[in-house]
Amino acid sequence: MSDSQFSQDTDDDDFGGYIKIDRYNQERIDSLKTDYHNVLTQIGEDPGREGLLKTPERVAKAMLYLTHGYELNAEEILNSAKFKEDYSQMVVVKDIEVYSMCEHHMLPFFGKAHVAYIPNGHVVGLSKIPRVVDVFARRLQVQERLTNQIRDCIQQTLNPIGVGVVIECRHLCMSMRGVQKQNSVTTTSAFTGEFLKEKTRTEFLNLISSKLS
Ligand SMILES: Nc1nc2c(ncn2[C@@H]2O[C@H](COP(=O)(O)OP(=O)(O)OP(=O)(O)O)[C@@H](O)[C@H]2O)c(=O)[nH]1
Ligand SMILES: [Zn+2]
């Protein structure tokens, strides 16, 4: 499908401005509404009571929003703002908020991503890095795959001298159910090229642990 159906126009604010309610999306909403109506019944609720009347539709829209990364193309996003530039030091974008959902329980995991690359003749518009994180985060994921997908996309599209990605997240499937550990944080990392060398990796890790103020 085209990007126009998942644009950032604020006109159709039912989806926080991301998803246009065209025929394709309306069909998906209608189908999910039926499913969530059934979910409400199965958990022992009354889908007919006042507070729940619009809930199947709200959840359907929320779910499409939370997984809208399937409709986006990360390579296109990077290529749309790739500029020739003679800069060959590390570029680091840190503390990028991540909101994703684990593919096992469809419960949120959330935290921060830190992304770095060393340009090889081209830089990319800075905002495109968090956009790429979102393209892969807004899907059903495991944190390890999310980390690798961000690394691979940047490496393949920009062909830099190296890429480093570190992600730190809390998983609600580990805190509000299951093993019920409230404070555990999972850290994953993925590197290419120059970042496979200890010196570069250490520089990156030092930069993402430093505070601005
Ligand atoms: N590697 C990895 N595992 C994850 C991620 N998100 C959730 N999980 C794990 O996926 C596993 C699924 O294991 P199962 O034993 O099939 O599921 P479960 O019975 O619900 O497991 P518990 O959570 O231990 O109750 C669990 O250990 C989760 O903690 C992730 O991003 N990466
Ligand atoms: Zn889970």
Side-chain angles (χ1 to χ4, degrees):
M1 76 179 295
S2 76
D3 273 1
S4 66
Q5 286 161 303
F6 277 74
S7 71
Q8 291 196 60
D9 293 351
T10 48
D11 298 336
D12 303 310
D13 61 3
D14 269 339
F15 284 95
Y18 270 87
I19 301 173
K20 290 200 187 304
I21 304 192
D22 54 13
R23 215 176 83 190
Y24 168 72
N25 283 326
Q26 190 58 56
E27 279 173 11
R28 297 203 294 163
I29 292 165
D30 290 343
S31 174
L32 285 166
K33 261 167 74 176
T34 308
D35 296 335
Y36 285 117
H37 190 278
N38 189 38
V39 167
L40 288 174
T41 307
Q42 292 306 320
I43 64 171
E45 263 293 355
D46 169 14
R49 76 175 170 83
E50 195 188 351
L52 294 180
L53 282 178
K54 281 192 71 184
T55 295
E57 182 177 352
R58 290 191 196 98
V59 180
K61 289 176 177 174
M63 197 50 73
L64 290 186
Y65 176 73
L66 295 174
T67 57
H68 74 266
Y70 290 116
E71 310 293 327
L72 299 173
N73 184 318
E75 286 81 10
E76 272 177 22
I77 289 171
L78 285 181
N79 279 324
S80 73
K82 186 173 156 184
F83 310 114
K84 270 199 182 131
E85 197 61 56
D86 187 21
Y87 178 85
S88 54
Q89 297 305 308
M90 191 182 296
V91 178
V92 184
V93 184
K94 68 176 190 174
D95 295 335
I96 302 166
E97 293 94 335
V98 171
Y99 290 97
S100 191
M101 283 197 297
C102 84
E103 67 184 18
H104 306 107
H105 304 95
M106 292 178 69
L107 286 172
F109 64 91
F110 58 96
K112 285 179 176 173
H114 315 285
V115 179
Y117 72 101
I118 301 172
N120 184 16
H122 289 93
V123 297
V124 69
L126 282 180
S127 67
K128 306 305 178 191
I129 302 272
R131 285 189 190 283
V132 165
V133 171
D134 273 347
V135 167
F136 295 113
R138 297 303 197 165
R139 303 176 182 200
L140 300 188
Q141 275 291 6
V142 296
Q143 191 177 318
E144 295 91 329
R145 188 169 67 236
L146 171 62
T147 312
N148 284 346
Q149 285 176 333
I150 296 165
R151 174 200 61 187
D152 293 344
C153 176
I154 295 172
Q155 183 61 50
Q156 283 157 21
T157 311
L158 289 184
N159 190 31
I161 290 166
V163 178
V165 180
V166 170
I167 300 185
E168 307 166 288
C169 282
R170 293 179 192 278
H171 290 243
L172 287 191
C173 67
M174 285 178 68
S175 54
M176 68 186 288
R177 60 159 296 286
V179 73
Q180 304 205 28
K181 297 300 173 206
Q182 309 307 319
N183 296 308
S184 71
V185 175
T186 302
T187 303
T188 47
S189 58
F191 304 103
T192 65
E194 197 66 21
F195 286 79
L196 296 169
K197 295 182 185 158
E198 194 183 338
K199 189 168 164 279
T200 310
R201 208 163 56 225
T202 303
E203 181 186 341
F204 171 47
L205 296 177
N206 285 340
L207 284 170
I208 65 177
S209 62
S210 73
K211 298 279 170 243
L212 264 185
S213 54

